[in-house]
Amino acid sequence: MILLLPNLSFGSVAYMSTSNTLLSLILFTIGAALLIDWLFLKNFGSEMRSIFFPKDKQPDFIAPEESYKKIDKGFTIALKGAPEKNEIAREITHFSLQPTDYRGILPIPKMMVSEGDHVKAGQPLFYDKDHPETMFVSPVSGTIKEIRRGDKRAITDVVIEKDSETDFLSIDKIDKSASRDEFITFLEKSGGLPLFVQRPYGILPDKSNLPSRIYISTFDSSPLTLPLTQLLKTEDYDFIQEAINYLHLLTDEVHIGLDAKAEEMPAFAELENCHKHWFAGKHPYGNVGIQIHNTQPMGMEEIVWTIDPQNLVVLGKLLKLGVYDSRRYYTLGGDVQKPGYVYTFAGPNMGELLGNEASSDKNDRYVSGSVLSGQKRNADQFVSAHTNKVSVIPEGDDYEMFGWLIPTKMRPSMSHTYLNYLFPGEPLSANTNTHGEKRAFVMTGQYEKVLPVDTYPLPLFKAIITNDFETMRGLGIHELLEEDVALCEFACTSKQPLQKILREGLDYVQSQM
Amino acid sequence: MKKLLERVKKMEPEKGTLGHTLYDAVFTFLFTPDEVTHDGVHIRDSIDLKRTMIHVVLALIPCYLFGMYNVGHQHFVALGQHVDVLSGVHLKFFFGLFKVLPLLITAYVVGLAIEIYYAYKRNHAVEEGYFVTGALIPLIMPPDLPIWMLVFAVVFAVIIGKEAFGGTGMNIWNVALLARVFVFFAYPGAISGDQVWVAGIESASGGAAAEYNWWYTGFLNTIFEWFGASTFDTAATVVDGFTGATPLGLAFTGGQEAIYEVYNSQDIFWGLIPGSIGETSVLMVLVGAAFLLITGIASARIMVSMFVGAVVMALIFNAWGYNSYMEIPWDRQLAMGSFYFAMAFMATDPVTASQTKTGKVIYGFLIGALGLIIRVINPAYPEGWMLAILLLNTFAPTIDHYVVQSNINKRLKRA
């Protein structure tokens, strides 16, 4: 764009023989507007900008020789009601282990308990017939209250009513000098394996596909987040360190992604025995898939396991203490009176977790996970296993007059047709309205702006829709999961269901391999 | 507002009828629907296609307003009346308004009727692409174009160019340019030569009479008389020596000197020259382009690379210097004709342009270079952008294919 300006200015000098003040005024205004936009609002040409403004300085707590990467693409959605460091006491008695949380297993797992049985925390509840050695263990001790079934008799929930005192099943610990096979067997038996996610496809890890790398993102950049470093205690880091030490039995390539935008050095940086990578930027820079790609892109046949830091604490307790203690911090944010966090076992009941925040006269949606890629849950359903976050947002099932043209209030948007782009980082409230109808793909270049992966998202999605196996594999579908393209879906002018499309593609590729 | 909503909802016709399609189009224009997200993201960006498209239309408004004024201005310059830019403002503006409005209304009514019919046949909502197409078509037509020609052009462009491919987002060629190309090849006399660019005169030669219909003599003149303002003079004739030639036509015969005998560079920059309705003013196009860039709707990549492509080609021609047309300096070469309009509004159509970053640069550069070649070298076509853009529209998927393929190869090599 800057190229236009010299032409304009010296062109206009030539044309200004009769000193046309109006003309020069108009030209000056256009030029100034473009210049301001370009320099300060980062609308276009961020590459050109970087010529004049060198890279943002690395924070002081990062040594110059450490791996540091700034991710320019992305968009951080600031929402009202961000969780605060404020512990909320809740009486939660019902927990559930949900087979639907694990991809790559059959819809009807083999149950090892039945309704009315008493189970200890860490006791196996079911296993998948395709992976008979991998146990899915109870997050709490208590009585099996209900085994819920969904479509085609698929098991959706194994509901456990918690005892007042938690009774942990004691598990035989494993030595650090164990072999790789012994460690895998330990993970399978103790319920540690389902804590991991295997990439590509985001499925339950399989012992026939051992990872060449294990990657851990220590922070979350999605909306409504409370940094984990504010919640974890010193001993939790010890458990994480213990778990990382053991992970070397699987592979020596243990990597962790660290937040370079944190106000002070995150305690994760003191972990040892792992490769550390600092990332700065905008969401989705906290997504583990984005960090893997920006460290060393996944090879076509490579297997990478990922694990969440809170699951790493669980794993550390399993290894160090020999108990399956699933307790973790659930943050609570969004349209709630008291944003904060709850410390409880995994898979709590949504209604009980929300407590008095869940009122039926408020038309709210409860999301297990982030508002970008979480799952919708009712009050009698349960928080999913792969998240530590609960978001509450108002439903948007209402009409708005000329809402597309003159919205009544500011809403999160990446579009510069709204003036809120002048106030980035200003928290706004959002609802679930789609703000428009689904259309064919029209706009281009939108997805690229928010997907820090070296690929062409629009051709990728079109390849998935047309079942073009070669192209979708070539464009790196194996490097992506739903959470990575969630921001593309948010920004999409045509309101296309991109996460669903991506999953169809992943399922297709997986079925063809 | 609730009452209005209920009243409008009561009028809803049965689903699956033509009436429902029409109702749905109007209803979603008035109200954002109550649709909510399901799986995937729970919150959506508040931008949608309607808003995007309306911003392009907003960007075209300066071109419309100035275009209307200029249609009137050129008319009176030919007659030798109100030659000064700011005299007879009301006459010039209303003359232009009454020339341009029928074209605009026809383009929208015909195009939207076809869109609604196809939406009904395909059982989906009316899509917004025609918002922009309908606004663009009149701007690239000569002011005196007969309405029936415009109807044919719109029917051709929308049915063959768009609906045949599946509607908005599926077309290969720029729909507005297809309408122009239809007129260009089916009725060349109506859209090329020196005769057609000035409205309301019998012919562009000395002594020809001015043509006014009842709207001017009966309607507008009566109103102007009430206010005591000057009126349209039915006895006026074209001044001697007037040719109606555009700068491009002059450049072809005599190069730069021939242009500047008739027009000065300020006229060309402001757009006070004969031409299609909306394309003459470089300034107004740049205002629209700046708006599109700031709102982030049009691709800066395409605009910049097309500009660079045209400049490079103009410099090559300067160096070559085979005839006087080639010797025109690049800034003056680009200020003539419809280069900036094509750059800001035509080449940047996201559906027909390249869709990848690198592809956009190649696409824009080639349009800039090829368009200038057609303009300068080919005597059959006075202006090159229409054909250059349509040609590159055809090749945009090919460009994208190779760009995507290079990414695929890179990944395969990595594995």
Side-chain angles (χ1 to χ4, degrees):
Chain A
M1 195 50 237
I2 198 70
L3 280 168
L4 259 177
L5 295 175
N7 174 53
L8 258 178
S9 51
F10 77 62
S12 57
V13 170
Y15 301 144
M16 219 118 43
S17 46
T18 53
S19 74
N20 195 322
T21 43
L22 181 64
L23 176 66
S24 53
L25 206 68
I26 295 174
L27 282 175
F28 180 77
T29 319
I30 300 175
L34 282 173
L35 202 67
I36 290 170
D37 195 87
W38 180 65
L39 289 180
F40 301 110
L41 303 170
K42 309 177 188 179
N43 187 356
F44 36 82
S46 59
E47 306 97 284
M48 283 195 273
R49 246 186 109 248
S50 61
I51 298 169
F52 296 90
F53 301 93
K55 274 200 168 168
D56 298 44
K57 219 177 115 241
Q58 252 174 262
D60 295 332
F61 52 78
I62 304 173
E65 70 277 5
E66 283 186 85
S67 153
Y68 169 84
K69 184 141 189 176
K70 179 155 190 296
I71 291 173
D72 288 320
K73 294 174 175 182
F75 183 68
T76 301
I77 303 170
L79 291 182
K80 276 186 186 159
E84 287 152 24
K85 198 184 172 189
N86 163 25
E87 179 155 13
I88 305 166
R90 289 268 197 265
E91 193 61 39
I92 303 171
T93 51
H94 291 85
F95 292 83
S96 163
L97 188 64
Q98 302 166 61
T100 44
D101 284 342
Y102 303 96
R103 289 195 181 273
I105 69 172
L106 296 171
I108 307 181
K110 179 73 186 161
M111 292 304 300
M112 299 166 77
V113 290
S114 49
E115 284 178 21
D117 289 2
H118 185 270
V119 291
K120 289 180 174 180
Q123 183 179 332
L125 294 181
F126 58 80
Y127 61 85
D128 175 38
K129 287 162 205 159
D130 283 353
H131 308 80
E133 292 88 18
T134 306
M135 296 300 154
F136 292 84
V137 303
S138 175
V140 290
S141 72
T143 317
I144 307 287
K145 186 135 183 270
E146 190 189 353
I147 295 170
R148 284 190 199 166
R149 287 175 185 267
D151 293 341
K152 295 185 185 164
R153 299 193 49 74
I155 294 173
T156 57
D157 282 291
V158 180
V159 184
I160 306 149
E161 190 172 359
K162 187 171 81 91
D163 296 338
S164 50
E165 285 295 311
T166 303
D167 185 7
F168 293 102
L169 183 78
S170 130
I171 295 161
D172 291 339
K173 283 186 266 183
I174 183 167
D175 199 63
K176 264 188 199 121
S177 58
S179 72
R180 198 175 179 178
D181 287 340
E182 281 167 353
F183 185 56
I184 286 284
T185 312
F186 170 82
L187 288 178
E188 284 176 340
K189 289 264 175 302
S190 63
L193 204 56
L195 298 173
F196 292 87
V197 173
Q198 176 176 318
R199 282 175 175 253
Y201 320 121
I203 52 175
L204 179 76
D206 185 1
K207 71 172 165 190
S208 57
N209 289 314
L210 288 180
S212 57
R213 269 191 288 174
I214 294 175
Y215 213 110
I216 303 143
S217 169
T218 61
F219 63 101
D220 181 0
S221 56
S222 61
L224 301 175
T225 296
L226 176 65
L228 200 52
T229 44
Q230 294 195 30
L231 296 172
L232 290 183
K233 300 190 171 66
T234 324
E235 63 264 30
D236 290 330
Y237 292 104
D238 296 340
F239 290 125
I240 291 176
Q241 183 63 62
E242 180 79 2
I244 286 176
N245 295 342
Y246 269 95
L247 289 183
H248 283 266
L249 292 175
L250 290 171
T251 171
D252 279 336
E253 292 284 312
V254 180
H255 297 255
I256 62 170
L258 297 160
D259 187 3
K261 280 178 82 187
E263 280 158 24
E264 53 188 32
M265 186 168 84
F268 289 110
E270 283 160 15
L271 291 175
E272 286 163 4
N273 217 353
C274 53
H275 304 274
K276 291 172 204 142
H277 308 277
W278 292 92
F279 293 95
K282 293 177 262 188
H283 183 62
Y285 80 118
N287 283 9
V288 67
I290 302 301
Q291 295 178 359
I292 295 171
H293 180 86
N294 285 286
T295 309
Q296 158 82 51
M298 270 171 73
M300 289 298 227
E301 309 297 335
E302 196 187 350
I303 304 284
V304 178
W305 287 10
T306 64
I307 184 167
D308 170 88
Q310 298 223 48
N311 279 341
L312 215 47
V313 176
V314 177
L315 187 66
K317 287 178 181 169
L318 196 56
L319 292 161
K320 209 169 183 176
L321 311 174
V323 292
Y324 188 89
D325 181 356
S326 69
R327 272 177 290 189
R328 61 191 57 228
Y329 301 93
Y330 283 101
T331 61
L332 205 60
D335 186 25
V336 290
Q337 280 153 17
K338 214 172 137 195
Y341 69 91
V342 178
Y343 185 63
T344 187
F345 293 93
N349 178 272
M350 187 61 112
E352 289 177 345
L353 182 71
L354 288 168
N356 54 359
E357 304 280 9
S359 94
S360 55
D361 45 290
K362 256 194 347 190
N363 185 13
D364 274 343
R365 176 180 295 190
Y366 314 133
V367 181
S368 152
S370 92
V371 289
L372 289 176
S373 53
Q375 290 90 36
K376 181 181 168 179
R377 291 284 195 260
N378 300 328
D380 68 335
Q381 288 178 311
F382 297 84
V383 178
S384 122
H386 292 301
T387 187
N388 307 309
K389 181 190 266 186
V390 169
S391 316
V392 180
I393 45 168
E395 287 283 1
D397 51 349
D398 204 3
Y399 295 91
E400 192 180 350
M401 195 166 185
F402 291 118
W404 57 281
L405 190 61
I406 319 155
T408 43
K409 58 178 178 185
M410 296 252 240
R411 294 189 289 242
S413 174
M414 287 190 59
S415 166
H416 291 215
T417 63
Y418 293 95
L419 287 178
N420 35 349
Y421 88 98
L422 301 175
F423 315 101
E426 175 74 27
L428 300 170
S429 55
N431 63 28
T432 64
N433 194 290
T434 54
H435 305 303
E437 296 162 291
K438 192 184 159 193
R439 291 289 183 255
F441 291 108
V442 170
M443 300 303 284
T444 58
Q446 282 187 314
Y447 307 151
E448 282 87 343
K449 276 187 193 157
V450 292
L451 185 64
V453 171
D454 177 24
T455 185
Y456 289 99
L458 187 58
L460 172 62
F461 290 122
K462 287 185 174 173
I464 296 171
I465 292 169
T466 53
N467 267 350
D468 179 353
F469 179 79
E470 296 295 321
T471 309
M472 62 175 119
R473 234 176 110 58
L475 285 175
I477 190 172
H478 60 285
E479 296 185 45
L480 299 171
L481 282 186
E482 284 99 324
E483 56 177 23
D484 302 324
V485 300
L487 210 50
C488 301
E489 184 173 328
F490 166 78
C492 181
T493 300
S494 298
K495 314 290 175 192
Q496 289 278 346
L498 300 181
Q499 297 188 60
K500 204 171 136 215
I501 294 173
L502 183 80
R503 179 44 70 183
E504 280 162 14
L506 287 169
D507 287 346
Y508 179 69
V509 170
Q510 201 185 353
S511 72
Q512 299 291 311
M513 297 302 276
Chain B
M1 199 211 104
K2 271 235 166 89
K3 269 187 188 164
L4 181 69
L5 179 70
E6 275 162 22
R7 185 166 292 185
V8 176
K9 279 202 125 182
K10 253 184 215 157
M11 290 171 10
E12 180 166 354
E14 214 177 304
K15 280 209 167 108
T17 60
L18 188 60
H20 187 269
T21 312
L22 189 63
Y23 165 84
D24 187 62
V26 177
F27 183 80
T28 56
F29 186 85
L30 284 176
F31 301 97
T32 318
D34 60 345
E35 245 168 72
V36 293
T37 52
H38 298 289
D39 299 332
V41 288
H42 296 274
I43 56 171
R44 285 274 193 178
D45 197 314
S46 57
I47 185 83
D48 71 344
L49 206 54
K50 276 195 179 64
R51 189 175 173 87
T52 308
M53 293 297 177
I54 209 77
H55 275 79
V56 184
V57 176
L58 289 179
L60 287 171
I61 285 178
C63 290
Y64 259 103
L65 293 178
F66 187 86
M68 288 175 191
Y69 189 78
N70 186 47
V71 167
H73 180 69
Q74 293 307 320
H75 169 78
F76 285 105
V77 167
L79 298 179
Q81 300 172 332
H82 311 292
V83 181
D84 193 54
V85 178
L86 289 178
S87 75
V89 173
H90 61 291
L91 289 175
K92 289 174 182 172
F93 185 76
F94 279 96
F95 181 84
L97 183 68
F98 278 70
K99 285 284 174 200
V100 175
L101 213 51
L103 293 177
L104 182 63
I105 293 170
T106 311
Y108 268 121
V109 169
V110 175
L112 285 177
I114 298 171
E115 286 268 323
I116 289 170
Y117 177 75
Y118 274 92
Y120 154 68
K121 275 280 168 198
R122 297 212 183 95
N123 211 1
H124 65 56
V126 180
E127 303 205 335
E128 292 83 5
Y130 200 76
F131 261 169
V132 172
T133 314
L136 281 173
I137 288 175
L139 289 178
I140 53 174
M141 296 292 177
D144 249 353
L145 188 80
I147 298 289
W148 61 268
M149 279 187 199
L150 185 72
V151 173
F152 277 124
V154 169
V155 169
F156 172 83
V158 176
I159 294 182
I160 307 288
K162 189 172 174 189
E163 300 303 342
F165 292 98
T168 300
M170 313 287 181
N171 47 318
I172 295 176
W173 295 294
N174 188 314
V175 184
L177 282 179
L178 275 185
R180 192 175 202 273
V181 97
F182 178 83
V183 180
F184 190 84
F185 287 112
Y187 312 104
I191 200 164
S192 52
D194 290 346
Q195 297 290 328
V196 300
W197 304 109
V198 178
I201 52 175
E202 235 171 27
S203 76
S205 53
E211 287 176 333
Y212 295 113
N213 59 24
W214 176 84
W215 284 103
Y216 299 105
T217 55
F219 182 73
L220 285 176
N221 270 358
T222 320
I223 295 172
F224 292 156
E225 273 165 17
W226 281 349
F227 289 98
S230 48
T231 57
F232 295 109
D233 176 7
T234 46
T237 56
V238 176
V239 292
D240 283 337
F242 182 79
T243 61
T246 61
L248 289 177
L250 294 168
F252 208 84
T253 51
Q256 200 177 178
E257 289 89 53
I259 304 172
Y260 291 96
E261 272 170 28
V262 185
Y263 307 103
N264 64 38
S265 52
Q266 218 180 342
D267 287 342
I268 292 176
F269 187 76
W270 275 92
L272 296 167
I273 50 172
S276 294
I277 294 165
E279 54 152 50
T280 57
S281 173
V282 175
L283 181 64
M284 294 302 155
V285 172
L286 290 181
V287 171
F291 182 76
L292 286 184
L293 288 177
I294 289 173
T295 53
I297 287 171
S299 160
R301 232 165 257 276
I302 295 179
M303 286 200 208
V304 172
S305 60
M306 180 169 163
F307 183 79
V308 172
V311 170
V312 167
M313 198 34 93
L315 292 176
I316 291 174
F317 280 144
N318 286 169
W320 186 357
Y322 177 71
N323 57 26
S324 55
Y325 202 160
M326 288 186 183
E327 283 167 354
I328 300 175
W330 65 269
D331 58 326
R332 297 195 163 177
Q333 180 73 269
L334 298 190
M336 301 189 297
S338 53
F339 171 75
Y340 287 106
F341 191 84
M343 180 188 83
F345 297 110
M346 291 299 178
T348 52
D349 170 15
V351 176
T352 55
S354 269
Q355 299 176 342
T356 54
K357 269 187 173 181
T358 324
K360 280 175 185 171
V361 174
I362 301 171
Y363 167 88
F365 187 88
L366 287 179
I367 290 179
L370 283 176
L372 206 65
I373 293 177
I374 299 173
R375 176 199 277 192
V376 174
I377 293 183
N378 191 332
Y381 304 115
E383 183 61 303
W385 312 113
M386 171 178 79
L387 294 169
I389 291 172
L390 288 174
L391 183 70
L392 264 297
N393 282 170
T394 316
F395 285 105
T398 319
I399 298 171
D400 281 342
H401 173 81
Y402 284 106
V403 172
V404 167
Q405 204 58 44
S406 78
N407 185 282
I408 291 176
N409 291 341
K410 189 162 80 181
R411 190 165 276 108
L412 288 176
K413 234 177 249 168
R414 197 191 287 149

